[in-house]
Amino acid sequence: MATYSVDPGAPDAAYLTFWQERHLCTLTTLRPDGSPHVVPVGVTYDPEARLARVITDKASAKAGHVAAAGPDGAPVAVCQVDGRRWATLEGRASVCADPERVAEAVRRYAERYGRMPRPNPSRVVIEIALTRALGRG
């Protein structure tokens, strides 16, 4: 089982399947002092758009950390693990409140996790423009 790099826009079948399975993930953002903030999240992976998405409340710390980074986005990583298998997606994140994009993120979340998240009028989506993908399968 070797660690390998993957093109985030063209993953192999095993890597993509792993991201379609139901797994709790983590999101790592940076606090204003540069220290990492790691929280459990649900993540969806869209290789065609080279995006990972995390739905959250606009008042959450993670959304605040990303928004504080400004228009160039925040460097972030999402990761999931299952035994010896793991996968990480890295990129620049931004917070989006556009209702259509939030709805698409909610739809993808429900598809991956098998349940519709509770209604939340303050929901936003953290969209991660992917630059790197790593894993061990």
Side-chain angles (χ1 to χ4, degrees), residues 7 14 20-21 26 30 34 51 83 89 91-92 95-96 98-99 101 123 128 131 134:
D7 176 348
Q20 293 168 336
E21 296 169 3
T26 60
L30 298 176
L51 281 178
L89 299 169
R92 304 293 293 189
V95 177
C96 179
D98 175 82
R101 287 164 63 180
R123 180 172 288 129
I128 305 164
T131 57
L134 302 167

Side-chain angles (χ1 to χ4, degrees), residues 3-11 15 19 43 45-47 50-52 75-79 86-93 128-135:
T3 298
Y4 63 100
S5 182
V6 176
D7 176 348
Y15 193 83
W19 278 103
V43 175
Y45 174 33
D46 180 356
R50 293 181 74 95
L51 281 178
V76 303
V78 290
C79 185
W86 61 268
T88 298
L89 299 169
E90 299 176 9
R92 304 293 293 189
I128 305 164
L130 300 173
T131 57
R132 182 180 297 162
L134 302 167

Side-chain angles (χ1 to χ4, degrees), residues 3-131:
T3 298
Y4 63 100
S5 182
V6 176
D7 176 348
D12 62 45
Y15 193 83
L16 182 58
T17 297
F18 187 41
W19 278 103
Q20 293 168 336
E21 296 169 3
R22 189 182 192 285
H23 295 289
L24 189 59
C25 304
T26 60
L27 169 68
T28 303
T29 59
L30 298 176
R31 295 181 181 99
D33 68 2
S35 64
H37 177 253
V38 183
V39 293
V41 294
V43 175
T44 61
Y45 174 33
D46 180 356
E48 289 181 10
R50 293 181 74 95
L51 281 178
R53 296 176 178 92
V54 175
I55 55 175
T56 189
D57 191 278
K58 68 181 177 184
S60 69
K62 57 188 162 285
H65 297 154
V66 170
D72 290 336
V76 303
V78 290
C79 185
Q80 65 181 17
V81 64
D82 180 38
R84 293 186 58 156
R85 294 186 307 159
W86 61 268
T88 298
L89 299 169
E90 299 176 9
R92 304 293 293 189
S94 58
V95 177
C96 179
D98 175 82
E100 288 183 16
R101 287 164 63 180
V102 171
E104 176 65 7
V106 168
R107 182 191 71 75
R108 288 174 178 274
Y109 176 95
E111 183 178 281
R112 180 175 188 196
Y113 291 98
R115 68 173 190 81
M116 187 62 76
R118 64 176 169 66
N120 179 353
S122 301
R123 180 172 288 129
V124 294
V125 57
I126 296 173
E127 294 180 328
I128 305 164
L130 300 173
T131 57

